[in-house]
């Protein structure tokens, strides 16, 4: 049995997909447990906060996406021993959480017309703000095509998957081309997309990544 196990549903949302990919890229053995919604309902009471993802480390459990991503990234060599760089990676992870949380009310809205109004406002007002800020981080890092330093870190994987969600065409009211006008961000996404281990991961999970 693997020492580590990432538990989530069977889809590539960044909160679970990034730790999965960190372990995969770093060659760290782990168990990729993908629960059905029925299984989640049965086991929800066993989870620290009643939600997924969680990471099992032996018989111990870690909840909350930021902690899970950081743990996996450290084990995989996709974090940093430098305190400043580590903090910058954290900055990106936490900003991805902010962006996700800002969209969350639209996911819970039952009234379809109101939901589309909320998505329109998000696409026209919030996305430019968020994506411009991400471009600012890339520029401040010296246009290396990475968010921190000059090689792949968990920060890059988080944004790659977050933007992949926004541009998937599966979020009604969010244009699939919403990132195209952001040159630095688009280059960063392309750089991750073409990483050999990312290509390998996508091939292994082609039902989510076929274009």
């Amino acid at each position: 049995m693997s020492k580590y196990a990432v538990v989530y549903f069977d889809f590539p949302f960044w909160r679970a997909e990034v730790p999965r990919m960190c372990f995969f890229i770093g060659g760290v053995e782990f168990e990729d447990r993908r629960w059905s919604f029925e299984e989640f309902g049965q086991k929800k009471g066993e989870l620290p906060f009643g939600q997924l993802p969680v990471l099992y480390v032996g018989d111990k459990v870690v909840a909350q996406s930021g902690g899970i991503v950081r743990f996996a990234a450290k084990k995989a060599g996709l974090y940093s021993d430098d305190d400043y760089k580590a903090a910058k990676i954290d900055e990106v992870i936490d900003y991805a959480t902010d962006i996700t949380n800002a969209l969350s009310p639209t996911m819970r809205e039952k009234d379809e017309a109101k939901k589309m109004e909320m998505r329109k406002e998000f696409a026209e007002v919030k996305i430019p703000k968020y994506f411009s800020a991400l471009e600012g981080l890339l520029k401040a890092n010296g246009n290396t095509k990475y968010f921190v330093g000059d090689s792949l870190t968990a920060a890059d994987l988080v944004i790659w998957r977050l933007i992949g969600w926004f541009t998937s065409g599966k979020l009604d009211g969010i244009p699939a081309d919403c990132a195209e006008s952001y040159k630095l961000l688009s280059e960063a996404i392309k750089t991750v997309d073409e990483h050999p281990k990312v290509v390998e991961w996508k091939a292994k999970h082609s039902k989510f990544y076929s274009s």
Side-chain angles (χ1 to χ4, degrees), residues 31 44 47 63 123 154:
E31 188 178 348
K44 184 177 180 179
L47 305 174

Side-chain angles (χ1 to χ4, degrees), residues 43-58:
K43 298 180 179 180
K44 184 177 180 179
E46 303 171 12
L47 305 174
F49 304 119
Q51 60 191 26
L52 295 176
V54 294
L55 169 70
Y56 285 99
V57 182

Side-chain angles (χ1 to χ4, degrees), residues 53 74 82 132 144 151 156:
K74 288 175 182 178
D82 178 271
S132 294
T144 64
S151 61
D156 305 297

Side-chain angles (χ1 to χ4, degrees), residues 131-132 134-136 138-139 143 145 147 177-191:
F131 287 10
S132 294
L134 291 172
E135 290 235 309
L138 289 164
K139 187 173 182 179
N143 295 337
K145 299 182 182 180
F147 280 96
D177 62 354
C178 62
E180 285 186 5
S181 62
Y182 298 89
K183 182 175 180 292
L184 297 180
L185 187 57
S186 295
E187 288 177 350
I189 298 306
K190 186 172 184 287
T191 298

Side-chain angles (χ1 to χ4, degrees), residues 55-76:
L55 169 70
Y56 285 99
V57 182
D59 60 355
K60 299 175 182 177
V61 63
V62 179
Q64 293 298 330
S65 305
I68 295 169
V69 169
R70 280 184 273 274
F71 183 97
K74 288 175 182 178
K75 294 298 180 183

